[in-house]
Amino acid sequence: MSTTPSSAATTSADGSRTLSIRERILEAATELFYTHGIRAVSADKIIDRVGITKVTFYRHFRSKDDLVVAYLESQAARERGALDAIRESTDGDAEAFRSFAELIGTASCQPGFRGCAFINAAAEYSDPDSSVRKVVADHRAWYREAFATMLGRIGVTDTADAADEVLMLRDGAMVAGYLGEASRVGRALASAIFAVASAHGAKIAR
């Protein structure tokens, strides 16, 4: 996608990268949407935060829903990148599940954590055919596929059902993080994932 000079990111004399206007809008929206909820944050509030005009905002995002979609797609890219990095840096998918569980435990117990951005968005957009819900559905389908692949590599036979169960465990762990301690949440999630795997035919040394 091409960009105009006013919207492209630039590099300053010291080599640091300056965010483009579009990136600044998305950065502000990410913070405000996640902290306060999507419906509670108006386009005007984002415009004020970034310090731009309405014309500039709507030049980059035709509607607030377009910005919400971009926000969720950005979040999805981060989450997918995190799981991909774990899988690349660990010795096998069983260890990747352990590291993933630890990551979820740590993230969900941090100050400022407000739950899963995608579950939060789905709660605010009830229409399953909306563009926002489609992004949510696509991301959760990606998780199911990734989990199914990982589960298959550790010996699970019924990977589709097992992946659904692991995704549900991940969702629950993110809620439990509000009330728990990071290492305990991570250990509990890993134990539950391996219990699911064992129930579906995997032989795992815990």
Side-chain angles (χ1 to χ4, degrees):
M1 180 179 69
S2 63
T3 58
T4 63
S6 63
S7 66
T10 60
T11 302
S12 63
D14 64 1
S16 62
R17 185 174 181 275
T18 301
L19 295 180
S20 68
I21 292 174
R22 188 180 192 280
E23 289 170 330
R24 287 168 54 204
I25 294 170
L26 186 55
E27 182 181 69
T30 296
E31 178 188 347
L32 293 170
F33 286 159
Y34 188 71
T35 302
H36 302 289
I38 295 170
R39 298 291 192 191
V41 177
S42 66
D44 285 343
K45 186 175 291 187
I46 296 168
I47 289 167
D48 289 343
R49 171 67 69 89
V50 180
I52 56 175
T53 66
K54 288 186 178 181
V55 171
T56 299
F57 176 89
Y58 288 110
R59 184 183 300 136
H60 294 280
F61 298 98
R62 292 176 299 174
S63 68
K64 179 184 168 183
D65 278 2
D66 284 347
L67 177 55
V68 175
V69 167
Y71 153 65
L72 291 174
E73 288 176 341
S74 176
Q75 293 293 103
R78 290 191 187 96
E79 292 188 14
R80 295 175 189 187
L83 182 55
D84 287 343
I86 286 172
R87 294 181 68 189
E88 290 172 4
S89 63
T90 51
D91 184 17
D93 286 287
E95 188 59 35
F97 271 128
R98 290 189 180 91
S99 295
F100 176 72
E102 181 180 353
L103 176 64
I104 292 295
T106 300
S108 64
C109 293
Q110 288 181 342
F113 181 75
R114 297 289 183 272
C116 172
F118 298 89
I119 295 175
N120 293 347
E124 295 195 64
Y125 284 79
S126 59
D127 181 3
D129 294 324
S130 70
S131 58
V132 172
R133 287 292 293 270
K134 287 179 180 177
V135 176
V136 173
D138 286 347
H139 185 50
R140 292 179 70 78
W142 179 88
Y143 261 129
R144 288 189 184 92
E145 183 176 350
F147 289 157
T149 298
M150 294 169 70
L151 289 162
R153 289 177 178 174
I154 61 175
V156 169
T157 53
D158 187 0
T159 58
D161 283 351
D164 283 341
E165 293 167 23
V166 170
L167 182 56
M168 188 178 297
L169 290 171
R170 173 259 185 194
D171 295 343
M174 297 187 82
V175 175
Y178 283 119
L179 308 172
E181 186 270 325
S183 62
R184 294 186 66 182
V185 171
R187 286 196 302 270
L189 176 56
S191 179
I193 289 172
F194 292 134
V196 166
S198 295
H200 289 275
K203 305 296 183 184
I204 302 170
R206 303 187 197 181

